[in-house]
Amino acid sequence: MAKMVCDSVRYHLTKTRSPSSQTAENPIADFIQNILFPKVSVSGDQGMPLAPVFTHMNGEHGDFYIPLSRPLDGLQMPRKGTVRVPGDAFQKAEEQLQSYLTGQVPVDTLLNVLEDLFSTLPAGCRDISLYDHLKLSAALDCCMTLWYENRGISPTYVPPKKDEPYFLLYSADLSGIQKFIYTVAESKALRSLRSRSFFLGLMMEHYVDELLRGCNLSRANLIYSGGGHCYLILPNTPVVENTVNAWNTRFNDFLLEQFGTGLFLGHGYTCCCANDLVNEPASEAPYKEMFRRVSGKIAAHKMHRYSPAQLLKLNHRSTQGDRECKVCGRADRLTGDMCDWCQCFVNLSRKIQDQDVFFVTTEKSPESPDFVLPSLDGQASFLFTTEDQAEKFLKKGISARKIYTKNCSYTSLPGSTRLYVGNYAASNSIEELARDASGICRIGVCRMDVDNLGQSFVRGFEQENTSSPEVQYRYVNLMRTAAFSRQMSLFFQLYINDILSGNFRDREPLSVAVVYSGGDDVFLVGAWDHVMEAANRIQSGILEFSCGSLTISGGIGLFDDHFPIRIAAEETAALEDRAKEEPGKNAISLFDPKQKHTYSWDIFRNKVLGQKQDTLDVFFDTFPERGNSLIYSLLDLLRGAPEKEGSVNLARYAYQLARLEPKRSDPRMDCYRTFADHMYAWAWNQEDREQLITAIYLYVYKNRKG
Ligand SMILES: [Zn+2]
C-alpha cells in the first residue's frame, strides 16, 4: 500500500509539473489526471502563488495569495498583492521529497512530508494546493487499483470509464457528544470536560485508522475528520463493504457495552463514479446528490441503531447496585466512588496537557494502558507518553499499531500520525481562570460556530446568477471540498491555539481554556473579559482566514465559578441560538437569552464597545468620584422602557443625569456636557438604548470589585 501511494505521488507530481513528460503506461493514474481533474492538471504560469481555497467560496474573493509556509509554522493569513513563487521553490520541494519516495517510508510519514512541502504550492489550478491534489489523486488511485484487483481484471485491457462506480463515499457521525462531554461533576469539572472531549477526538481518529487498515488503505483516503464526523473515499468492493459494516458493528458493540446508549456511531456510504466526483453532467448536479445519499444513509442508521443481538445484550446489562458513579451516575463498573471510565478521564486530564505522543499497540502493553479500545481483530491499548518513552517502546521491539503526535512531528518516531488538536488552556482550573478576570470575578462561557457551514460544504462553490449549469457548478468537485475541509480543520484544530495564546500577531495570551474545538465549532471557558476577547479574535480570525467568505456566530454567558458547567453549557447554547436568529447571522449574543443583548459583530464593536462603552469610560475616568449607584439608577430607567420610541421616564432620567453635573467653574464641564448630550440622545432611540444598556452592563462588570 505504501508503494501504491508512492507510485501515485511520483506519477501525479511529474504530470502536474510537466504534463507533456513521458511516463510509463499507467491507465488508472492517467484516467485520474486527465479525465477526473483536467482543470487541475493544466500547468499554467508556474510563478503564480497559491490562492486560498476560499477564492470561489460563497462568491468571488480574488487577488489573495497564501505565503509559502508549513502548517506547524503557525497561522498565515491570505495576503493581497502580486508576488511570484521563487523559481526554484518547486524544484527544492521535489528534491526534498525524493528520499521519502522509496516505498519503504510509512505512508503517514510521507503524507506529513507532502503537507509540509506542498500545501502552499499551487497545483495547476491556483486555488488548490499541490498537496491536496497529490493526496486525493493517491486516494483515488488506490481505490481504483483495489477495485481492478478485486475484479481480477487489468486496466490495460478494460480501460477506466467515467460512469463506472469504482468508489464509495463513506461517512460516519458520532451521536451523543454533548451529553457525554458535559456530564461531569462540579469538582475538577474543567479538567474532566477537556479530557472527555479529547478522548472522543482520539477515539474517532482510531475508528478511521482501523477502518482504513481493514480496507488496505492509508490516511490519504481520509477526506475529513473533526467534530465527531468523518468522510472517506473507499473502493467499491464487497470486501470493503463487509469490512466497514463489520467494523462499525464491532465499534458500536463496544460503545454500547462501555457507555450504554449514550454514544452511537451512525455510518453510511454510497457508491459513486468519476462523474459524480466532478459533478458531471452539471445539469443533473450528481455531486450534491451523492452527499445527500450519504447523509440519508446515516440518518436511517441512526433511526435503527441496534441489532436484535445488541438489544438483547443491552437488556442484560447490570443496572443493580446501591451505589452510583458520582460523575456519570452509572451503577456498574465502579471502583471507589467513580466508574472506571470517569476515573480514566480524571487521570487523562493531567496527561493531555503535557504529553503529546499517543502510543497505540495491539500487543501486550509495556505499561498499564491509559485506556483500551477495540481494534479490527482484538484490542488496542493507548498509552499517553513522551517522544523518549515511545522511542524506548519501539527499541524494546514493541510494535506500534499507530503513534499519534499532537500538534508536532517527531522524526524519531517513524510512521507517526500528526494530529491537530485545538486544546489551548491557560489553566485547567476554573477558579484560576476566573481570578484573572478584571472587575467582577466571573467566568465566561463561549460557544461559537460557523454560519451555514453545511450549506457552504455542499453548495459553497456554486456560482450564483447564472442559468448555465456548467457555469454554476464549474468549481464544484471533491478536490475543493477536501481542500476546504482541511482548511477548516487547520483553523479550528491548530491555528486556534495560536490565536488564543497570542502567538499569532504577538498579542497577550488569554486566560481561557478550550473545552472543545473541532469541525466548525468552539466551546471555551475562562476569565469573562478574556473570553470576550477570545470570541473577538476568533471572529475576526475566521473572517480574514476565509477572505470574508465565512462568518461565525456565538453566545457568551457569565457565571460564577461554582455554577454547574452543564447548565452553563445549555444556557450558552441558547445564547448561540439567539445569535443565529439574527438576520444574516454573523452575530454575538450576551448574558441572557431572554434579554436583548444580541448584535451583529460590527454593531457590537463599533456601537456598543466603540461608541457607548468608550463614552462611559471617558466620563467615569474624568469623574472618578461618581459612584456606581448613579449608573444603576440610569440603568433601571433605561430598562424600564417598554420597547417603543422615547418612552423612558425622561423627567427622572434627566434628574439623574443632572445629579452628575459638576459646578459651572469645573474644568471638566465640557466632558460632562458631551456625556449628558449623548445619554439623552441614546435614551430616545430604541437601538441606541439597547446598545447603551449592554454597554452599561459591561462597564459595571469591568469596574466592579470581586
Ligand atoms: Zn462514571
Side-chain angles (χ1 to χ4, degrees):
M1 182 254 298
K3 188 174 175 308
M4 224 185 328
V5 174
C6 263
D7 290 347
S8 170
V9 167
R10 191 179 299 113
Y11 174 92
H12 290 284
L13 191 56
T14 311
K15 280 290 180 186
T16 309
R17 297 279 300 126
S18 39
S20 56
S21 64
Q22 290 299 311
T23 39
E25 193 200 356
N26 188 337
I28 290 176
D30 275 339
F31 173 77
I32 287 164
Q33 187 79 10
N34 301 329
I35 302 175
L36 214 45
F37 298 117
K39 292 166 205 144
V40 179
S41 58
V42 173
S43 193
D45 176 354
Q46 304 213 337
M48 294 297 276
L50 177 68
V53 71
F54 303 101
T55 302
H56 309 295
M57 160 74 63
N58 298 326
E60 287 298 300
H61 313 275
D63 302 333
F64 289 96
Y65 73 93
I66 306 285
L68 293 183
S69 60
R70 301 171 179 223
L72 291 178
D73 295 343
L75 171 56
Q76 296 284 339
M77 287 296 183
R79 296 180 193 172
K80 285 241 177 196
T82 44
V83 292
R84 307 282 297 169
V85 174
D88 57 352
F90 283 95
Q91 204 190 333
K92 269 192 187 157
E94 282 171 72
E95 280 165 16
Q96 280 177 272
L97 182 67
Q98 286 316 311
S99 59
Y100 294 93
L101 285 181
T102 56
Q104 308 299 315
V105 175
V107 179
D108 285 3
T109 303
L110 175 62
L111 290 172
N112 288 349
V113 171
L114 284 175
E115 186 180 23
D116 283 343
L117 294 176
F118 295 111
S119 65
T120 52
L121 286 170
C125 87
R126 271 197 64 201
D127 60 326
I128 302 287
S129 79
L130 203 42
Y131 169 66
D132 290 303
H133 175 68
L134 295 172
K135 178 172 175 281
L136 186 60
S137 300
L140 300 177
D141 265 2
C142 291
C143 288
M144 288 180 66
T145 306
L146 291 172
W147 186 91
Y148 271 96
E149 273 177 26
N150 180 262
R151 293 281 169 111
I153 48 178
S154 154
T156 313
Y157 302 112
V158 185
K161 289 190 301 215
K162 292 181 79 175
D163 57 357
E164 181 74 47
Y166 300 114
F167 312 104
L168 289 179
L169 180 67
Y170 176 91
S171 182
D173 185 52
L174 188 63
S175 310
I177 298 179
Q178 303 258 342
K179 199 154 178 255
F180 180 84
I181 295 180
Y182 304 126
T183 304
V184 290
E186 326 302 78
S187 70
K188 307 249 169 24
L190 183 54
R191 282 174 178 278
S192 297
L193 281 176
R194 283 166 46 78
S195 61
R196 281 167 175 265
S197 148
F198 183 78
F199 168 79
L200 288 186
L202 197 54
M203 185 179 85
M204 281 300 285
E205 297 297 337
H206 172 70
Y207 177 83
V208 164
D209 276 316
E210 288 290 302
L211 189 152
L212 289 167
R213 170 184 288 266
C215 299
N216 195 21
L217 294 165
S218 69
R219 283 177 82 91
N221 290 68
L222 171 61
I223 306 289
Y224 172 75
S225 87
H229 204 78
C230 64
Y231 280 101
L232 292 87
I233 189 89
L234 307 173
N236 178 18
T237 66
V239 186
V240 162
E241 223 177 312
N242 291 338
T243 304
V244 299
N245 283 322
W247 172 230
N248 181 269
T249 304
R250 184 169 161 71
F251 200 78
N252 276 315
D253 273 345
F254 160 82
L255 292 178
L256 188 61
E257 194 184 299
Q258 301 294 319
F259 305 110
T261 51
L263 289 173
F264 178 77
L265 190 63
H267 82 151
Y269 50 86
T270 183
C271 59
C272 44
C273 61
N275 275 337
D276 296 334
L277 303 184
V278 293
N279 197 48
E280 279 177 18
S283 56
E284 288 167 23
Y287 186 76
K288 241 189 316 207
E289 180 56 26
M290 170 178 84
F291 278 95
R292 206 194 51 75
R293 286 199 305 271
V294 178
S295 306
K297 293 275 176 66
I298 296 180
H301 189 206
K302 287 186 175 178
M303 294 289 288
H304 303 279
R305 298 191 171 198
Y306 302 110
S307 67
Q310 285 171 320
L311 288 172
L312 202 64
K313 235 188 268 173
L314 182 64
N315 289 335
H316 286 238
R317 243 185 79 176
S318 145
T319 48
Q320 302 294 309
D322 35 2
R323 289 183 310 131
E324 288 182 345
C325 168
K326 69 171 186 180
V327 179
C328 69
R330 72 194 291 171
D332 56 341
R333 313 178 63 97
L334 289 181
T335 39
D337 54 1
M338 264 193 260
C339 71
D340 47 8
W341 277 109
C342 289
Q343 186 60 55
C344 160
F345 298 133
V346 170
N347 299 344
L348 286 188
S349 69
R350 288 181 216 110
K351 292 187 165 184
I352 52 171
Q353 202 66 7
D354 335 306
Q355 307 201 318
D356 50 13
V357 176
F358 314 114
F359 191 94
V360 187
T361 181
T362 48
E363 297 177 358
K364 191 175 175 303
S365 175
E367 288 173 1
S368 94
D370 287 296
F371 55 83
V372 177
L373 295 179
S375 68
L376 281 173
D377 44 10
Q379 292 195 320
S381 302
F382 280 66
L383 291 143
F384 284 32
T385 187
T386 57
E387 183 191 9
D388 286 354
Q389 197 58 37
E391 239 187 303
K392 279 185 197 144
F393 294 157
L394 292 175
K395 281 197 184 121
K396 275 194 217 159
I398 297 151
S399 79
R401 180 75 150 198
K402 209 83 201 173
I403 302 174
Y404 296 102
T405 60
K406 183 181 77 183
N407 302 338
C408 60
S409 273
Y410 292 124
T411 45
S412 57
L413 302 173
S416 54
T417 303
R418 188 155 79 195
L419 297 181
Y420 299 133
V421 186
N423 70 340
Y424 169 81
S427 161
N428 248 338
S429 143
I430 285 188
E431 293 77 13
E432 262 178 50
L433 292 170
R435 247 177 268 145
D436 286 341
S438 37
I440 191 166
C441 182
R442 284 288 146 85
I443 62 153
V445 174
C446 171
R447 300 178 75 152
M448 303 173 90
D449 81 53
V450 171
D451 299 323
N452 309 321
L453 187 83
Q455 241 351 46
S456 295
F457 192 78
V458 181
R459 311 194 40 179
F461 290 111
E462 289 181 21
Q463 303 300 293
E464 285 176 355
N465 306 323
T466 171
S467 56
S468 147
E470 278 70 28
V471 176
Q472 183 185 354
Y473 295 112
R474 63 195 284 203
Y475 298 119
V476 174
N477 59 50
L478 187 61
M479 189 78 91
R480 276 203 180 73
T481 303
F484 166 58
S485 312
R486 191 170 67 82
Q487 292 303 320
M488 296 307 286
S489 300
L490 281 171
F491 188 87
F492 286 103
Q493 287 163 225
L494 180 64
Y495 298 148
I496 191 163
N497 298 322
D498 292 337
I499 290 174
L500 301 175
S501 69
N503 283 350
F504 174 63
R505 292 192 176 149
D506 261 338
R507 289 163 154 172
E508 287 295 306
L510 296 176
S511 283
V512 300
V514 175
V515 173
Y516 173 85
S517 179
D520 69 323
D521 59 327
V522 183
F523 181 109
L524 46 88
V525 302
W528 73 271
D529 50 331
H530 290 241
V531 167
M532 305 260 305
E533 171 60 13
N536 177 33
R537 285 188 197 176
I538 292 168
Q539 187 270 339
S540 44
I542 190 71
L543 193 71
E544 189 178 349
F545 184 72
S546 70
C547 311
S549 68
L550 297 176
T551 59
I552 193 166
S553 297
I556 299 177
L558 267 53
F559 305 92
D560 79 48
D561 54 8
H562 296 298
F563 196 79
I565 199 89
R566 185 177 52 79
I567 299 173
E570 281 167 15
E571 290 191 2
T572 316
L575 284 167
E576 189 184 358
D577 291 344
R578 175 94 201 226
K580 296 269 179 196
E581 285 163 13
E582 282 295 288
K585 304 185 181 179
N586 192 19
I588 176 84
S589 188
L590 305 174
F591 310 141
D592 179 351
K594 290 186 284 297
Q595 292 178 22
K596 174 123 182 33
H597 298 284
T598 304
Y599 304 98
S600 75
W601 285 97
D602 281 347
I603 298 278
F604 182 65
R605 277 201 197 99
N606 299 331
K607 297 290 177 74
V608 179
L609 298 181
Q611 190 184 47
K612 272 105 189 161
Q613 210 197 332
D614 279 359
T615 303
L616 294 168
D617 282 343
V618 169
F619 178 77
F620 286 99
D621 280 352
T622 315
F623 293 86
E625 70 275 22
R626 304 297 185 203
N628 277 347
S629 62
L630 274 166
I631 203 163
Y632 287 124
S633 325
L634 290 174
L635 184 60
D636 278 345
L637 288 165
L638 289 166
R639 271 200 310 211
E643 292 195 1
K644 56 183 201 254
E645 297 289 307
S647 53
V648 176
N649 187 333
L650 273 180
R652 294 183 53 199
Y653 188 72
Y655 170 71
Q656 292 295 347
L657 281 176
R659 285 179 60 195
L660 296 169
E661 185 169 346
K663 288 205 177 72
R664 227 164 257 267
S665 56
D666 195 312
R668 300 172 298 175
M669 193 61 184
D670 280 352
C671 173
Y672 167 77
R673 286 250 159 80
T674 314
F675 175 76
D677 288 352
H678 279 317
M679 293 294 278
Y680 272 122
W682 291 336
W684 277 88
N685 176 293
Q686 189 191 325
E687 275 176 23
D688 281 320
R689 191 166 61 237
E690 285 165 358
Q691 294 164 8
L692 180 59
I693 292 173
T694 307
I696 293 176
Y697 269 92
L698 289 169
Y699 175 84
V700 169
Y701 289 148
K702 208 169 68 177
N703 292 286
R704 199 148 84 184
K705 300 280 170 279

